[in-house]
Amino acid sequence: MTSSRSTAKKMARPGHKPGSKSASRKPKAKLAKVTNFPTASVKKPLPAAKRSSPPPAAQARKSDPPPRGMPALTPPKQVQEPKQSLARSFYWSELRVGDDLPPLTKPAIDRVQIVRYAASSGDFNRLHLDEPYAHAVGFPGLFAPGMLAMAFVGQLLTAWLRRGHVRKLGARFIKIVWPGDELTCHGRIAELRKESGACYADVELWAENQKGELVLRGQATCELYESPQNGGADGGGLLFALQQSGPSAAAAAKPKSSPPSPSKPPKKKY
């Protein structure tokens, strides 16, 4: 009896139960120790660009050759930002070849502005007003007149010149300006000269879109006051006008007073 009970207890133990978990466990296989890991080409993040450094589009533009028939831009000589006083009141003697004009950035061009400019200029070309017609001709859509970009460049020039005079202004259109483009106008002094006593500055002008692409290139001739001593006063004219009107000219222009005629004695009445 005792032997049968002991055998029954052994059969009741979980360790001896057939098909138990402990019996089905297998020893875990050891992982091989890897010492040489594959090298992955991980690109390091680029350092943050400084604010003073120009965008890559501008750097690429400097290395690109100028448009056909246009000379290269005059290299800049000015390393600091233009003073505000220079943009408001300056003289020909204060300028240097290579000085940059304060840039002018315009907001994004929309279709309403294009229509307004077309109405004010009288340019009712359907390519600037009719979107389906522009698609039918082969364009992606309507675009701004070229004279609109030239007007922005003229605004830059007159805001910088102030008290001078624009004697000549011309431009060449290089790229189409589309709705949504943001144009930035630039200028640089290319030459300073005197002719017949008048002081002139030849200014290079150009406009770029938000991608740094050149859309317009032009030039202007401006007449300026030479210095505060020569033509800088508010009541004075330009230098060539003041040179012609000196003390001798003022004396010559002044009417000569005729000598007093001798007074005749009054006639006596008889």
Side-chain angles (χ1 to χ4, degrees):
M1 294 292 290
T2 56
S3 60
S4 61
R5 288 179 182 176
S6 60
T7 53
K9 287 181 180 180
K10 290 180 180 180
M11 293 295 292
R13 288 179 184 178
H16 296 276
K17 187 177 181 181
S20 61
K21 294 183 179 180
S22 61
S24 62
R25 287 180 182 175
K26 295 180 181 180
K28 295 182 179 179
K30 294 183 179 181
L31 297 176
K33 188 176 181 180
V34 179
T35 56
N36 297 328
F37 293 94
T39 57
S41 58
V42 180
K43 295 183 180 179
K44 296 181 179 180
L46 297 176
K50 298 180 180 179
R51 294 183 180 178
S52 59
S53 61
Q59 295 178 355
R61 191 195 69 253
K62 291 181 181 179
S63 61
D64 292 342
R68 185 179 299 177
M70 299 291 289
L73 289 175
T74 302
K77 291 186 178 180
Q78 185 170 311
V79 291
Q80 68 225 11
E81 294 184 0
K83 298 179 180 179
Q84 293 297 329
S85 60
L86 181 65
R88 293 184 174 275
S89 176
F90 66 90
Y91 303 99
W92 183 83
S93 58
E94 299 176 356
L95 302 178
R96 297 293 181 270
V97 175
D99 286 350
D100 289 333
L101 278 63
L104 173 65
T105 302
K106 304 295 291 185
I109 299 174
D110 55 3
R111 288 170 171 78
V112 176
Q113 186 178 20
I114 294 175
V115 173
R116 287 177 176 175
Y117 183 82
S120 60
S121 62
D123 183 8
F124 295 101
N125 191 333
R126 294 181 64 183
L127 292 174
H128 309 316
L129 304 173
D130 194 345
E131 188 97 28
Y133 176 77
H135 285 298
V137 175
F139 289 95
L142 59 86
F143 51 90
M147 294 299 294
L148 180 59
M150 187 174 179
F152 293 158
V153 169
Q155 181 182 356
L156 164 74
L157 185 64
T158 54
W160 169 77
L161 190 57
R162 296 287 175 153
R163 298 171 61 188
H165 297 269
V166 179
R167 298 305 183 190
K168 186 186 298 184
L169 176 61
R172 176 181 175 183
F173 311 112
I174 300 175
K175 200 174 185 64
I176 295 178
V177 178
W178 303 98
D181 284 351
E182 299 178 5
L183 300 186
T184 302
C185 305
H186 301 271
R188 183 174 297 155
I189 299 175
E191 185 180 356
L192 298 171
R193 54 191 171 84
K194 286 185 178 181
E195 290 183 5
S196 303
C199 299
Y200 295 97
D202 295 331
V203 183
E204 296 174 339
L205 302 168
W206 69 95
E208 303 171 350
N209 57 16
Q210 69 278 5
K211 301 178 183 178
E213 299 171 340
L214 192 67
V215 299
L216 180 139
R217 178 101 180 265
Q219 61 280 333
T221 300
C222 305
E223 187 176 359
L224 305 93
Y225 298 101
E226 182 181 17
S227 63
Q229 292 76 21
N230 296 325
D234 292 336
L238 294 177
L239 177 61
F240 75 95
L242 290 178
Q243 285 183 342
Q244 294 179 356
S245 60
S248 58
K254 187 177 180 179
K256 297 181 179 180
S257 58
S258 57
S261 58
S263 59
K264 298 179 180 180
K267 294 182 181 180
K268 296 181 179 181
K269 293 182 180 181
Y270 295 100

